[in-house]
Every structure is written in C-alpha cells, then in structure tokens.
Amino acid sequence: MKAAAFVVATLIAGPAVAQTTIFTTTDFHKDQALWTDPAYYRNNTVAQLRGMAIDFDSGGRGTGQEAGARAYGSPGTGKAGALNLATPYPFTTAWDHYQAWLEEARGGTKHTRATVPDWSGRWAGGPAGLTGGGNPASYVASLLTPKYREYFVQEVKAYAEGRVWSPGAFCLPGGFFASLEAEEFIVTPDRVWTLGAGNGSNTTRWIYTDGSGHSPPEAEFTKWHGESVGFWNGDTLIVHTNQIRGWKGGLSEFTDTLESVERYRRVGDRIEGEITLYDPDVFVRPIHARMTFELDKETRPELRPLYNTCTDTNGPASKVHLDDRGLLNERLPGDPLYWNAADPRPWGTYLTESDRRYERYKSQRR
Amino acid sequence: MTPRVLFAIALALAVASPAWSHHSHAMFDHSKAVTMEGTVTEFVFRNPHVFLYVDVKGANGETQNYWIEMSNIPNMIRRGIGQGTFKAGDRISVELYPLKDGRPGGSYVTITAADGKVYQ
C-alpha cells in the first residue's frame, strides 16, 4: 500500500527538476535567491570559477585559463569559512578606526633617522583572500550588497565562460588593490613610500607620517591609489587611505567611498599586516584581511624590479588611431572602438554587451 | 629566491584573481596542442608579453607568419629564455595552442630550438 502511494505521488510530482546553477541558468538576473547558495556555483570557489573557460564550440569540454584550469561546470571544493573576511573591529568608519588607534598610540611615535624601522630589501606578498580566491563564491556574494552581488555574479559567470574584462587587458591602471602588493618599503621619519613592479605596470604609494594630514575637503579628489596618511606606534605603521578612485579589484568592484585602515609591523624576515576596508555601498559590513610580505634574500640581478608599461607590447589605446587621411586622430562617442574615459564601469558596459552577443552567438550555433 | 618566498608567491597566485594575468587565454584552443616547424622572423623580448614570430610553410606550399604569445620576461628568464635565445633565421619547432578563430597564431607550450634544446 505504501509502495503504491509512493508511485502515485512520484507520478503526480513528475521528474525531479535539477537546481538552476550559474552554469545552466538562462538569465542569472532572476536567480537572486540562489546567489548566496553554494549549490548555485556547484560549490566552486571564486578561483575555481575563474579557472574555467568554456570553449563553446567544443560543447563545453575545453578549458582555457593557464593557471588552475578546470573543466567548465565541474564541482568545486569550496569550504565555508575557509577564510574569514569579517572585520573583528567594532568601527563603522575608517576614520573612527584610525582615530581610535591613534589615541591608543597616544598621538604616535616620532621617529628619527636613527630609530625608524629597517624595512629595506625586496618583499613578496600582499593581502590574503581579498580577491575572494579560495572562498566559496557564495560566501563572497554574501559579503556584498544586492547591487554589487549582482555585479559579482555577472562577472564570475562571464569569467567561467572565458569572457574576461581586466584592466590590464586594456593597459588601464590596476587601481587601489594593485598598490597593496608592495615589493619595497622606503621608510623615512616623515614619509613611507611603497613600490611595486608588475610586468605591465608599476605602483607607488606615498604615506605621509609627518602629521600634515589629509588634503582639505575642498581640495579632495579621487586618485588611483587614494591619499594615505599614517603614524607610528613604536615599530608599527598605521595608515589611513581615502579619496580612492572607484574601480574594480579585491572581492569586487568598489566605489569612490572606499576607505581603508592598514597596520604593518616587521617580524624577522616578514612584514605582517592587516587591512580593514570600509565601503558601505559595496560591503554589507567592513571587510578585513591579513597581509603578509616575505623577505626575498636571493633576488637575482636580472630579476630586479623594472619600470614596465603595458603598452610596450600591447600598443597604444585604441581611442587614438591613424585615420583614413593618415593623420593621428581620436575616436569620438559613437565611433567604433571609442574608449569612454568617463564610463565608471567599463567592465559593466563590456559584460552587458558581451552577455547579449554571447547568447546570440550560442543560439546561432545550436 | 628562498623557498619561503616561492611559497608566498605560490600562495598569492593560488588566491589571486587573474589580475596578474594580462588577459584571458580563452581565445586559445587548449583542447589541442599543435606542433609546427618554421623559421624565426622576429623575437620581441619585452613585457608584459614576449612574442615570437615564425614563418611556417603550410600544406599548400604557402608561408604564413605565425604570431606566438609567450609569458612575461621574469618567467622567461626563469625558464632559461633570454633576449638572445631565438634569432631571425633560426629553424625551430613550436608546440602551441592555436587561436580558436583560425588566424595564424597561438600560445606557446614548448619550443625546440635549432640546437635541439627544448624550452617550456
């Protein structure tokens, strides 16, 4: 009797419907309720999703990315809480955070050339987990406000399909988060410089520890690496950065309201630090990550940092071009290949158009 | 480079976004590596990508100049490839992932130099 009831119930219910995933959805915009569900991403981490690159012409069998390549749609190994990115601090603004630490340091330590910490040498490292990498994509999505959660899902979906937008691909600046991967720290009593050298760009930060403070409000403007001031608490450097130009990097894209508080201290052959990020438009609560830099004692001369420019092999921006008359000219709005420097979300423009073309391309190939 | 630094770099790469990667390699067909022989016409040893240009004679007897993308300079140096490793006129063999769109180009996997040395 029970068996008969089960058969009847099964017939009424019909075949089980597989859950929609980021790999099967026909319109991810409608999947809001699933965006924080690990199953939506088949439990993949952000890095694992980025490691996929569907080859549509091979029926999804091919993979593309050179590092961590894996088959499109394959199940991941994400572990909830692999890296806790929630701030341990009670502050709601970066400035309150910075002021509290300044008060704790009783106004800060005034160093001389004789007492300033020795951070010489070349270092390798940066923030841990701020790109979302090892965390389940669902966890990263849960850290973001609805609007930026949607942007995040759109981007990881596109990445998994090999439709990547990166600033470097267009020789654009990497933004604030690129500047956090310093390779050298030049420490003086009044100022600290951090230097980084990517293969397509270089980064520099100026951190003013002379007590001069930030620019007056009427003179503020957003900058790629923001404006940084700091103080010393003994041998620990504390930094506040504001006026950061909204861009993409870290967990997601971010706005002009992003501010950070960093803390660095040398411990043997390491510089250990942390960063807390405040951007209420983007994060549901402030984000916190550890930063670690290891001293590289054996740098070969031929592997020293270099000045690099992305355009060296990638060429100039497509906006400037040789026109039909043989004159150097600029593309204007509406011209093919026009680059809109005022577009605050060029990747969004790309992804939206890419979504449209990609769906059309797939429908034509079916 | 110390093992600790190598570990730190490996860790950073493991958690990093493709920001360190100049662009997606989705334009290359990684499902089939092809090998071709040809003559180097130019070797551009520059960041962010090193490029090799090779004349390859096709089955129809026509020669096509292949554009071959390599990695960045530090990676090349670590693999033993320097500015003078390949010169115009060298006969080489290249294993590459071809461009999906059929144009003559690809992402290198290995290169066998004129003296038989294999570079990865």
Side-chain angles (χ1 to χ4, degrees):
Chain A
M1 188 63 186
K2 280 183 180 175
F6 173 77
V7 170
V8 171
T10 304
L11 288 172
I12 292 171
V17 178
Q19 177 180 332
T20 299
T21 70
I22 198 170
F23 310 109
T24 61
T25 185
T26 54
D27 185 357
F28 78 91
H29 298 282
K30 296 176 180 170
D31 303 335
Q32 294 100 323
L34 301 174
W35 290 343
T36 55
D37 179 355
Y40 185 64
Y41 310 90
R42 298 204 73 192
N43 204 34
N44 277 282
T45 65
V46 175
Q48 287 171 332
L49 289 171
R50 286 173 175 156
M52 299 173 185
I54 188 171
D55 176 358
F56 183 70
D57 292 328
S58 71
R61 291 187 301 276
T63 60
Q65 301 288 0
E66 69 277 27
R70 56 208 316 278
Y72 179 78
S74 54
T77 57
K79 290 180 182 165
L83 198 58
N84 182 10
L85 296 174
T87 179
Y89 303 115
F91 312 109
T92 54
T93 73
W95 191 245
D96 285 350
H97 186 164
Y98 181 76
Q99 290 298 322
W101 279 0
L102 181 60
E103 194 173 317
E104 188 180 296
R106 297 179 180 175
T109 305
K110 300 301 176 195
H111 277 295
T112 66
R113 286 198 178 275
T115 64
V116 78
D118 176 12
W119 292 1
S120 56
R122 188 176 179 187
W123 304 82
L130 266 192
T131 57
N135 276 302
S138 53
Y139 173 70
V140 175
S142 74
L143 300 173
L144 306 173
T145 56
K147 179 174 159 185
Y148 287 88
R149 190 175 292 172
E150 182 169 4
Y151 291 160
F152 167 78
V153 175
Q154 182 184 31
E155 177 163 14
V156 292
K157 178 178 184 295
Y159 267 58
E161 294 168 353
R163 299 181 290 122
V164 176
W165 195 105
S166 69
F170 300 92
C171 293
L172 292 165
F176 175 68
F177 287 88
S179 75
L180 297 177
E181 296 174 4
E183 292 175 69
E184 293 183 75
F185 297 83
I186 304 171
V187 182
T188 71
D190 292 337
R191 198 178 304 178
V192 176
W193 288 263
T194 73
L195 307 177
N199 291 304
S201 65
N202 294 67
T203 60
T204 312
R205 292 179 76 191
W206 291 263
I207 301 166
Y208 292 87
T209 57
D210 57 358
S212 56
H214 282 296
S215 302
E218 66 273 17
E220 288 185 352
F221 63 97
T222 56
K223 309 154 177 70
W224 285 111
H225 296 167
E227 183 181 87
S228 298
V229 300
F231 64 88
W232 290 92
N233 184 354
D235 58 359
T236 301
L237 175 67
I238 289 100
V239 183
H240 174 257
T241 304
N242 65 7
Q243 301 169 60
I244 299 167
R245 175 170 164 170
W247 197 234
K248 73 196 294 288
L251 290 179
S252 68
E253 40 192 288
F254 52 90
T255 72
D256 289 351
T257 58
L258 176 70
E259 294 189 16
S260 71
V261 177
E262 296 153 76
R263 181 154 68 174
Y264 299 89
R265 179 169 178 260
R266 180 169 183 170
V267 181
D269 288 346
R270 278 184 168 212
I271 291 176
E272 295 180 349
E274 59 176 286
I275 184 168
T276 312
L277 298 155
Y278 297 82
D279 189 341
D281 289 339
V282 177
F283 306 129
V284 294
R285 67 186 71 85
I287 298 299
H288 177 268
R290 287 194 314 116
M291 302 174 81
T292 306
F293 301 83
E294 298 274 359
L295 182 63
D296 183 353
K297 296 177 180 174
E298 300 177 0
T299 302
R300 292 154 58 181
E302 64 270 34
L303 292 174
R304 289 172 181 146
L306 303 172
Y307 170 75
N308 287 306
T309 167
C310 174
T311 53
D312 202 1
T313 58
N314 293 5
S318 58
K319 189 180 171 197
V320 179
H321 69 289
L322 189 66
D323 70 14
D324 292 340
R325 299 169 301 171
L327 302 175
L328 201 60
N329 207 336
E330 286 207 37
R331 293 191 166 90
L332 302 179
D335 289 344
L337 300 179
Y338 169 73
W339 173 260
N340 180 7
D343 186 347
R345 297 184 64 248
W347 51 87
T349 304
Y350 160 86
L351 289 172
T352 300
E353 178 63 15
S354 175
D355 287 347
R356 190 183 67 78
R357 292 191 194 188
Y358 192 62
E359 289 305 318
R360 185 182 64 194
Y361 168 64
K362 283 201 294 184
S363 66
Q364 288 170 346
R365 299 285 296 185
R366 284 190 184 107
Chain B
M1 194 170 287
T2 66
R4 287 177 73 190
V5 170
L6 280 173
F7 173 76
I9 292 172
L11 184 67
L13 290 177
V15 299
S17 75
W20 50 269
S21 175
H22 168 64
H23 55 67
S24 165
H25 277 197
M27 62 185 177
F28 302 113
D29 184 354
H30 288 73
S31 66
K32 57 171 183 186
V34 298
T35 302
M36 51 189 64
E37 293 186 0
T39 304
V40 174
T41 59
E42 193 169 11
F43 183 45
V44 180
F45 197 72
R46 288 189 191 152
N47 271 330
H49 285 291
V50 172
F51 290 101
L52 186 64
Y53 296 85
V54 181
D55 271 348
V56 177
K57 188 176 280 190
N60 60 2
E62 285 187 15
T63 297
Q64 281 190 304
N65 192 242
Y66 269 71
W67 165 92
I68 297 162
E69 182 171 282
M70 302 172 73
S71 189
N72 56 60
I73 288 176
N75 277 346
M76 294 292 89
I77 289 173
R78 291 187 182 101
R79 294 172 197 184
I81 297 173
Q83 186 165 275
T85 303
F86 306 110
K87 296 180 291 294
D90 285 356
R91 287 288 297 172
I92 63 168
S93 171
V94 184
E95 180 188 14
L96 56 80
Y97 293 126
L99 283 167
K100 287 177 184 171
D101 63 14
R103 289 179 298 151
S107 173
Y108 98 106
V109 182
T110 61
I111 300 176
T112 306
D115 62 3
K117 188 168 182 180
V118 178
Y119 296 94
Q120 293 187 323

